[in-house]
């Protein structure tokens, strides 16, 4: 429902490709999207990461945490490599060409930062 998957590149729909939208992809408010209604946010990724770490002893949670890190890092790097943008928020849609909010916003970096934590760089 939140489109986090180890195999997102081949299994996620184009509408919820990047994963972790702020509302479930099956919510009727998801398709139109809106500021806090469906976009992907770095702070939400960070909070979700910390929450999943608390239940790391469960294999399914451990797998989900790793998938979250991989997917958020790829999403973050997609915008950085294309435009040099650190997005305030990101569209979950695969075809989105740029940030959906401010194009250089400090908390957007949290989407990529969780992978650095995961890899013990922080």
């Amino acid at each position: 429902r939140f489109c986090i998957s180890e195999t997102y590149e081949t299994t996620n729909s184009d509408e919820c490709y990047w994963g972790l939208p702020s509302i479930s992809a099956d919510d009727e408010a998801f398709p139109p999207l809106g500021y806090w209604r469906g976009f992907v946010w770095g702070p939400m990724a960070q909070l979700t990461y910390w929450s999943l770490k608390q239940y790391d002893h469960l294999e399914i949670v451990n797998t989900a945490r790793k998938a979250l890190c991989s997917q958020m890092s790829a999403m973050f790097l997609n915008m950085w490599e294309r435009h040099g943008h650190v997005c305030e928020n990101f569209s979950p849609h695969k075809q989105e060409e740029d940030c959906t909010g401010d194009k250089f916003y400090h908390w957007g970096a949290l989407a990529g930062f969780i992978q650095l934590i995961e890899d013990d760089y922080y």
Side-chain angles (χ1 to χ4, degrees):
R1 295 178 39 178
F2 288 91
C3 313
I4 297 297
S5 171
E6 291 177 288
T7 58
Y8 73 93
E9 294 169 302
T10 57
T11 58
N12 281 13
S13 73
D14 287 355
E15 290 300 302
C16 196
Y17 182 77
W18 292 114
L20 202 62
S22 57
I23 59 173
S24 174
D26 62 1
D27 188 298
E28 64 185 45
F30 178 78
L33 297 176
Y35 192 65
W36 269 108
R37 199 177 278 170
F39 291 134
V40 180
W41 295 80
M44 185 179 276
Q46 182 71 66
L47 292 169
T48 302
Y49 176 82
W50 283 332
S51 298
L52 293 172
K53 275 297 257 190
Q54 296 298 309
Y55 295 92
D56 199 43
H57 60 281
L58 301 171
E59 185 177 339
I60 192 168
V61 175
N62 184 284
T63 300
R65 189 193 76 249
K66 290 177 181 180
L68 172 71
C69 289
S70 174
Q71 213 166 336
M72 293 297 102
S73 180
M75 177 190 70
F76 176 80
L77 289 172
N78 178 54
M79 287 300 164
W80 180 256
E81 290 169 353
R82 280 179 157 186
H83 307 292
H85 293 162
V86 176
C87 302
E88 174 186 10
N89 54 60
F90 303 82
S91 172
H93 300 160
K94 183 178 183 178
Q95 70 276 8
E96 189 66 45
E97 293 291 320
D98 207 348
C99 302
T100 50
D102 193 301
K103 297 188 180 354
F104 206 78
Y105 205 83
H106 61 287
W107 70 30
L110 293 172
F113 184 62
I114 60 174
Q115 185 67 58
L116 296 176
I117 297 170
E118 184 69 12
D119 292 340
D120 290 325
Y121 287 111
Y122 179 83

